[in-house]
Amino acid sequence: MFFKNDDDRFASGGREKKLKTIPLLPLRDVIMFPHMVQPLFVGREKSINALEEAMSKDKGILLVAQKSAKTNDPAADDIYRVGTIGAIIQLLRLPDGTVKVLVEGKKRGEIIRYLPRTDFFQVEVEEIEEDDDANVETEAFIRSIHATFETYVKLNKKIPPDMLVHVSSIEEPSRLADTIVAHLTHLKLEDKQEILEVRDPSKRLEKLYAMMQGEIEILQVEKKIRARVKKQMEKTQKEYYLNEQMRAIQKELGDKDDFRAEVQELEDKLREKDMPDEAREKVEREIKKFKMMSPMSAEATVVRNYIDWMLALPWNEVTDDKIDIGECEKILDEDHFGLAKVKDRIIEYLAVQKLVGKLKGPILCLVGPPGVGKTSLGKSIGRATGRKFVRISLGGVRDEAEIRGHRRTYIGALPGKIIQGMRRAESNNPVFLLDEIDKLSSDFRGDPSSALMEVLDPEQNYMFQDHYLDCDYDLSKVMFVCTANQLSSIPAPLQDRMEIIRIEGYTEVDKLQIAKGWLVPKLAEDHGLKEVEMAYTDEAILEVIRHYTRESGVRSLERELGSIYRKIARRVAKEGTELSINIDGGGVHEYLGVKKFELNECDNIDQVGIVNGLTWTGYGGEIQTIEVSIVPGKGKVNITGNLGDVLQESAQAALSYIRSRANDLELPEEFYQKFDIHIHLPEGAQPKEGPSAGISLATAIASAFTKTPVLCSVAMTGEITLRGRVLPIGGLKEKLLAAHRAGIRTVLIPKANEKDVPDVPEKITKDLEIIFVEHMDEVLKAALVNGEDILKTSPPPRSDGEGSEGIKGPERPSEPVPSQI
């Protein structure tokens, strides 16, 4: 409400207003209350003029807060309407032109109107009188305010304790409220102004009480938070304090600051390291984080290990390839006998590398039985190419993290085996041997073979992601070489990313040459017998190969020869190096004792129902005798000898074929119902499996029923169908070697395997008559005594009807299994 002049003394309701004309001092972020003494620093020209006017007239001054402290030149609308009329106690001019003034609040005042002045604000103010008449409600509020303020002082350490004593002595409601609100430091300016504008002391106490309760709740929560944080940080602060003390003691003793030197060393290595931008940024961030940590903390150890791994990896360091094709061929021939296909593939790769200059690393997979030199061939590849060589074994790996690495969420985290191998190689283009890739397995921890697909895919491995590194690593320059014993246990998607090269094993001729050229000189040096005059005959080495080992490789051969050398070393140590030792075929038994294995040499007698089958095992080729006996009965078929399901099915197919040709074989009608048939494969403790004994079983059954002997000089292998077709088999090289070793003169093999004969050494094939057969009738004519007379008719014609041979059946597995017949 505004009055136009001093004569307007009465408002609505008949209450007389006490008006006073005084200067106005706008305040920033300060609310002035009655009974409050406050020093103020005044710098604005209008405010200084207002102070001078108040000092000269001794009328007092109105102290009112601005609505916004950022306003430098406030207008009437920027200033609250209610303030405090104060008296100037002291005024002091400072050298910088500002004024320090000490003022005391007297009464509340409300601005009625602004008077026209330009040098300062002059206003007409109504003095607000306080009504301190006590009643029961006011007395209750006063007691509650005293108790609440005491609680507030205990929680807020910024208020001095003597203030509590001063407040406890105040009984006037208005003065009590104004004194307490002035010391509530956490109240907002708007809340304090709201209390200042309340005219009724009782309502003012009520509002103040509510605000104090809210502040006390906030202070109690803050106290709980401080206590919880203090408890959590107590151990860390203690460790940090002790570490700082230790460092200070070391510094006083003259020791260098190891931690700072360590950080400096890491930064120097990073500047010198050639690495991608993504990896460099990660290392820079980790070093920055490492600087801020206590060196003894567990997290610092994790960060330091990560930095060491990143700086130790060969990001762009490569070795120069040797592209001398002739020298590479020489190295491969020096290290390994035979293995022409593998050597040709390596030479082809190097030739392309020489012409193109850059080629994505090939993925070779060497598949073969144990001991044939797969692992040592990987080393030779590294030596031939001039690259670093690194090997990891995947046998028994069942955790995907061993390939992709562990995430850095705990102290023991490490990169995967691939990244570990690259660190050992110290080169970005090594020859990387993944040994025993077929021994991978999977469980609840993941599938490692699936993780390997990214490693072995040339289209993906240029950005291989290891969980520990958490950034891309280029594996495209690496030449990966994998080894496996069984191709069937490698998942098909993983096989698709590799070039399969089979190493079938060594023949006796190969083993003899390896023993003479590599094993004997090596064992002589290892056993200290280089100075001893020793001589081996070929017959002695062949005796060891045939009767003391049974394998496709040469590992057992090396062990048996080593046993001979140990016994010779014992004699030399006792009698001296003047000995002259000659070992022939008969002398081997003196060193190795009784023969461990006997050759399956065939009988020299043609017998009924006995056929020489050829079988493939993990140790090489074997002669497997198949026996069939018939006795009067009711058509029961017994199959013994530890045969697998596939081999038993081959026996059923062979019997069905013989029944279909009963008329041509001049067998009585329903002959199979009057006799029990017993099929047996000797050495029943040895499991046997595979389909390639089909023609052997059919021949034995036909011989038993026709009572026609089988030629003892004939051996055979091949799969049979119900119509008598002969299907191809695997392991031909080993089977022909077994036939040659057993003295067989004629071998019957499927016509479809004719393409595999050139892979067999000429020394073997020249001593064998190899007959290629397409139908079972051809087998019977060649294997049975007077077979041409027994089966004079031609094979039944093929038709394209349902169930005929015109329908192509399932193909045989591409990979033979151990103990396969």
Side-chain angles (χ1 to χ4, degrees), residues 70 471 489 685 725:
K70 296 180 180 180
C471 65
S489 58
R725 286 181 56 206

Side-chain angles (χ1 to χ4, degrees), residues 85 120 264 467 575 672 806:
I85 300 172
F120 62 88
Q264 185 62 42
H467 291 159
E575 302 176 20
Y672 57 90

Side-chain angles (χ1 to χ4, degrees), residues 99-164:
V99 174
K100 180 180 180 181
V101 61
L102 186 64
V103 294
E104 179 184 4
K106 296 296 185 179
K107 292 184 177 180
R108 282 174 170 76
E110 181 179 0
I111 299 174
I112 302 301
R113 65 174 177 173
Y114 285 84
L115 300 178
R117 291 292 295 263
T118 58
D119 52 347
F120 62 88
F121 289 111
Q122 189 165 7
V123 294
E124 199 170 69
V125 180
E126 175 197 359
E127 293 184 1
I128 300 174
E129 298 294 337
E130 304 284 356
D131 184 8
D132 284 333
D133 294 338
N135 53 42
V136 176
E137 183 179 0
T138 304
E139 185 65 28
F141 271 123
I142 291 174
R143 292 183 181 181
S144 298
I145 289 292
H146 282 153
T148 305
F149 186 70
E150 183 178 358
T151 303
Y152 181 81
V153 171
K154 291 179 180 178
L155 293 173
N156 190 356
K157 302 300 181 182
K158 296 181 180 179
I159 300 177
D162 56 350
M163 179 55 63
L164 183 61

